[in-house]
């Protein structure tokens, strides 16, 4: 999934991986320059990141670069007092090991269980899941030995591959498959592996997002200012928590995630059809779309012309179906539903009324017109209400952080209900440091 990197310039720092420990292994390839950004992004998300460089990685990038962004000493040497003490503890304490870039040589060594330097020793000593981001020249990547080694790693439930991408390789090497996945994609892969231990792991989650467009004539429509950012953030955070996500979105003005099913719709009725088809199977649904309450009663087949309509035009409207209410009625027992309420006054009272009227479990209320919140903004300030619980007011936060909180509440509710019947799902094999992964 490539939408959005980690957190933006949130007012309230979002550290979803606070308390998590990561080992970032950097091998000797030109893509190592991207790993500094990766180390920074992972650190900004709250993780404690220990960087281990292979000997050849140091030809491309200096330990000091990583120390600057992680605030921790980067490690290189197995045969030192430090290395000898660390080679076991590093891997043992890690929730996830990420190797980026992973060279053909590292992949070969890992596939045969070698422990010939600090990085491979830590991998062998660890039971944590390993995310591997291969990066090499395309002919090295295509080599049957490399492919066989990769296949051997991937046959193990412990290993998760991200990339490589196809594109321009290092200067003069042309283009082909072998380019390291971008840091944002590697962050997402690590995040999903680390986040997949909870109740959302394997759960089916439906998210609605964006505006709807209701046609008036072939060239005009009735729309609203929703950007789709909140829906994308919700879909992304549910995915990072291990869910099988379907995002049903109106025409959003932000890039849509590509690691999950995305259903693009225009009108409220198209959105309703898509959501109702999914509702019965959903373990959770979040209705973040700004659905038009009304649509023109009649869609003109030809463009309305001023020369014919004159100086005044009256358009009759009819009510759209309530997607959230309709979907909630179809959702199974033990599932969790979350709505949004954008209000200009009486925020809490109105949101509570909608919570009850639509049969939702939770509702996220925000005030229209507040600076840095609501439509189009990157941030939001919300109050979360639920049946039988006290309202929870959150500070101004990045939409990713707000979405992380909301999906955390869904996870907690599903965990209590224990209602998710899990399907076979590749990321459920990751469980963090506590459980040793089979090789
Ligand atoms: O009643 P109101 O439009 O304010 O309700 C907002 C909540 O209901 C949101 O969760 C929104 O996505 C959802 N909704 C819906 N279908 C509609 C109108 C709103 O799903 N037609």
């Amino acid at each position: 999934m490539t939408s959005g990197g980690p957190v933006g310039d949130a007012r309230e720092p979002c550290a979803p991986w606070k308390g998590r420990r990561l080992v970032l292994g950097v091998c000797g390839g030109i893509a190592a320059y991207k790993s500094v950004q990766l180390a920074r992004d992972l650190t900004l998300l709250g993780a404690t990141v220990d960087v281990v460089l292979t000997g050849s990685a140091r030809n491309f990038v200096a330990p000091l670069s990583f120390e600057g962004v992680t605030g921790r000493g980067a490690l290189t040497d197995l045969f030192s007092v430090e290395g000898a003490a660390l080679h076991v503890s590093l891997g043992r304490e890690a929730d996830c090991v990420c190797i980026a870039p992973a060279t053909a040589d590292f992949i070969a060594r890992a596939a045969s269980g070698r422990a010939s330097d600090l990085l491979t020793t830590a991998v062998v000593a660890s039971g944590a899941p390993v995310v591997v981001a291969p990066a090499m020249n395309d002919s090295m990547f295509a080599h049957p030995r490399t492919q066989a080694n990769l296949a051997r790693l991937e046959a193990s439930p412990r290993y998760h591959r991200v990339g490589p991408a196809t594109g321009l390789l290092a200067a003069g090497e042309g283009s082909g498959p072998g380019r390291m996945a971008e840091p944002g994609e590697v962050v997402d892969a690590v995040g999903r592996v680390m986040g997949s231990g909870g109740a959302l792991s394997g759960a089916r989650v439906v998210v609605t997002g964006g505006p709807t467009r209701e046609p008036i004539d072939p060239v005009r429509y009735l729309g609203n200012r929703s950007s789709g950012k909140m829906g994308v953030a919700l879909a992304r955070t549910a995915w990072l928590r291990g869910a099988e996500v379907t995002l049903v979105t109106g025409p959003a003005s932000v890039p849509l995630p590509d690691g999950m099913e995305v259903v693009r719709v225009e009108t409220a009725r198209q959105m309703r059809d898509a959501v109702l088809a999914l509702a019965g199977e959903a373990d959770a649904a979040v209705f973040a779309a700004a659905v038009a309450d009304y649509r023109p009663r009649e869609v003109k087949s030809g463009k309305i012309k001023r020369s014919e309509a004159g100086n005044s035009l009256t358009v009759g409207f009819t009510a759209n179906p309530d997607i959230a209410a309709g979907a909630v009625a179809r959702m199974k027992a033990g599932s969790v539903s979350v709505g949004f309420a954008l209000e200009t006054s009486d925020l809490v009272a109105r949101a509570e009324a909608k919570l009850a009227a639509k049969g939702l479990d939770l509702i996220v209320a925000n005030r229209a017109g507040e600076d840095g919140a609501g439509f189009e903004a990157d941030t939001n300030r919300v109050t979360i209400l639920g049946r039988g619980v006290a309202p929870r007011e959150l500070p101004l936060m990045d939409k990713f952080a707000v979405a992380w909180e909301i999906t955390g509440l869904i996870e907690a509710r599903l965990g209590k209900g224990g209602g998710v019947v899990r399907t076979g799902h590749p990321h459920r094999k990751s469980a963090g440091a506590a459980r040793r992964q089979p090789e």
Side-chain angles (χ1 to χ4, degrees):
M1 198 174 54
T2 53
S3 78
V7 280
D9 55 350
R11 313 292 150 91
E12 188 71 17
C14 173
W17 300 325
K18 196 164 194 285
R20 298 303 193 97
R21 295 196 68 129
L22 281 172
V23 171
L24 173 61
V26 181
C27 304
I30 183 62
Y33 77 91
K34 292 185 186 174
S35 307
V36 180
Q37 179 72 43
L38 175 60
R40 180 174 184 272
D41 291 349
L42 293 167
T43 305
L44 280 178
L45 285 163
T48 300
V49 184
D50 283 309
V51 177
V52 179
L53 293 107
T54 63
S56 50
R58 275 182 287 169
N59 293 316
F60 293 92
V61 63
L64 194 57
S65 306
F66 292 100
E67 291 172 9
V69 295
T70 64
R72 299 173 66 79
L75 308 156
T76 52
D77 201 355
L78 176 60
F79 301 106
S80 65
V81 178
E82 216 185 16
L86 282 169
H87 76 277
V88 176
S89 66
L90 263 184
R92 194 177 51 215
E93 287 162 16
D95 289 290
C96 182
V97 178
C98 173
I99 314 292
T103 53
D105 182 58
F106 171 84
I107 290 164
R109 287 188 294 141
S112 53
R114 303 255 335 250
S116 46
D117 60 4
L118 181 57
L119 181 57
T120 45
T121 308
V123 169
V124 172
S126 166
V130 185
V131 172
V132 177
M136 64 200 75
N137 168 273
D138 58 338
S139 36
M140 290 172 77
F141 182 69
H143 193 281
R145 265 291 111 225
T146 307
Q147 288 299 317
N149 290 331
L150 262 178
R152 195 161 166 197
L153 283 189
E154 285 188 275
S156 153
R158 187 182 173 201
Y159 284 86
H160 306 262
R161 172 151 76 101
V162 52
T166 298
L168 275 184
L169 301 170
E173 286 181 17
S175 85
R179 199 165 81 165
M180 189 175 114
E182 293 306 315
E185 286 172 70
V186 183
V187 168
D188 280 343
V190 170
R192 178 143 160 123
V193 161
M194 285 204 301
S196 290
L200 268 173
S201 186
R204 289 176 200 268
V205 176
V206 179
V207 177
T208 73
T212 57
R213 280 182 185 172
E214 304 297 339
I216 298 170
D217 69 13
V219 293
R220 301 183 180 94
Y221 60 82
L222 178 74
N224 60 61
R225 301 166 78 99
S226 167
S227 61
K229 282 177 193 165
M230 200 62 232
V232 167
L234 285 158
R236 180 168 175 243
T237 53
W239 184 88
L240 286 171
R241 291 180 184 276
E244 295 301 311
V245 181
T246 306
L247 172 63
V248 182
T249 179
S253 54
V254 291
L256 297 175
D258 57 11
M260 63 184 70
E261 195 187 348
V262 176
V263 182
R264 290 178 174 81
V265 295
E266 292 235 333
T267 67
R269 285 183 296 170
Q270 288 168 353
M271 185 176 280
R272 180 220 29 213
D273 292 348
V275 171
L276 291 189
L278 297 161
E281 293 289 312
D283 297 297
V286 190
F287 305 97
V291 185
D293 285 323
Y294 296 94
R295 65 176 183 276
R297 185 172 291 127
E298 183 196 355
V299 182
K300 299 280 183 206
S301 56
K303 185 183 166 197
I304 300 170
K305 294 188 190 68
R306 188 168 174 171
S307 57
E308 287 164 18
N311 282 342
S312 161
L313 178 69
T314 305
V315 178
F317 289 97
T318 185
N320 263 330
D322 191 311
I323 300 166
V328 167
R330 288 199 184 191
M331 287 175 71
K332 60 193 177 192
S335 60
V336 178
S337 57
V338 185
F340 273 68
L342 183 69
E343 305 293 346
T344 46
S345 61
D346 300 328
L347 184 68
V348 170
R350 283 175 188 266
E352 267 168 355
K354 277 181 193 169
L355 181 76
K358 295 175 194 260
L360 298 158
D361 295 300
L362 296 169
I363 195 152
V364 182
N366 59 319
R367 207 175 293 278
E370 192 183 329
D371 272 356
F375 286 168
E376 293 172 323
D378 286 332
T379 49
N380 212 351
R381 188 202 304 278
V382 304
T383 302
I384 304 175
L385 301 116
R387 275 186 274 147
V389 294
R392 199 160 144 227
E393 210 173 312
L394 299 181
L396 187 67
M397 287 158 68
D398 191 281
K399 281 183 175 167
F400 175 86
V402 174
W404 187 259
E405 290 291 325
I406 294 167
T407 50
L409 291 173
I410 297 172
E411 189 166 67
R413 287 195 170 221
L414 282 178
K416 267 190 216 146
V420 180
V421 179
R422 294 191 173 89
T423 49
H425 153 355
H427 291 276
R428 288 199 57 245
K429 58 197 180 183
S430 60
R435 273 179 263 164
R436 176 168 257 278
Q437 303 285 304
E439 286 291 340

